[in-house]
Amino acid sequence: MKKKIIILILLILIIAAGVIGFFYFKDTENQTNTLEKKVATASSDYFEKYVSANDSANSYKVTLKDLEEANQKGETYDLKGLEKCDKTKTFANVTIDYQTGKAKKTQVELKC
């Protein structure tokens, strides 16, 4: 009888730990996606305002440091939540559409 109770308690603890772990990792993933969207949006706008599409590269690297410097010059990029990220290793590669000269796609790399 005692063995059944101990096994039941252990089973409940394992299931509870699994559920808690699932929700923790799901929340962490959502926060990462939100930060990536912020960097992608700000990087695309930064590219459109500050970078010439006549450059020979097919993509342009916009770092978190670039975005913060633009904010100091008057831009209003939402960079909340990125305070703990490395300023030079957190970046977005902005792919250029040569027909329009605008940002086509961004790929974000977070180092937080």
Side-chain angles (χ1 to χ4, degrees):
M1 180 77 166
K2 285 186 173 183
K3 288 183 180 180
K4 287 183 179 180
I5 292 174
I6 292 173
I7 290 173
L8 183 63
I9 290 172
L10 286 174
L11 217 87
I12 290 172
L13 289 174
I14 291 171
I15 291 171
V19 169
I20 290 170
F22 171 77
F23 284 114
Y24 172 77
F25 289 117
K26 186 72 171 171
D27 184 52
T28 303
E29 182 181 336
N30 287 340
Q31 288 175 354
T32 300
N33 287 342
T34 301
L35 295 177
E36 285 180 354
K37 286 179 187 175
K38 284 182 179 184
V39 172
T41 302
S43 296
S44 292
D45 188 63
Y46 178 90
F47 173 80
E48 306 242 343
K49 290 181 179 177
Y50 296 102
V51 179
S52 170
N54 296 328
D55 291 345
S56 62
N58 63 353
S59 68
Y60 185 80
K61 184 176 179 179
V62 179
T63 64
L64 181 57
K65 182 179 177 183
D66 293 332
L67 297 175
E68 287 179 343
E69 288 172 357
N71 274 353
Q72 291 173 354
K73 294 177 184 175
E75 294 294 334
T76 56
Y77 299 128
D78 181 13
L79 303 177
K80 290 181 183 146
L82 297 164
E83 293 86 7
K84 295 181 182 179
C85 297
D86 187 289
K87 307 298 181 212
T88 56
K89 293 181 181 177
T90 298
F91 64 90
N93 277 325
V94 180
T95 305
I96 304 164
D97 181 358
Y98 282 110
Q99 292 177 348
T100 63
K102 306 243 183 218
K104 177 170 66 171
K105 177 181 153 188
T106 56
Q107 182 180 6
V108 176
E109 182 72 31
L110 294 176
K111 295 290 181 189
C112 301

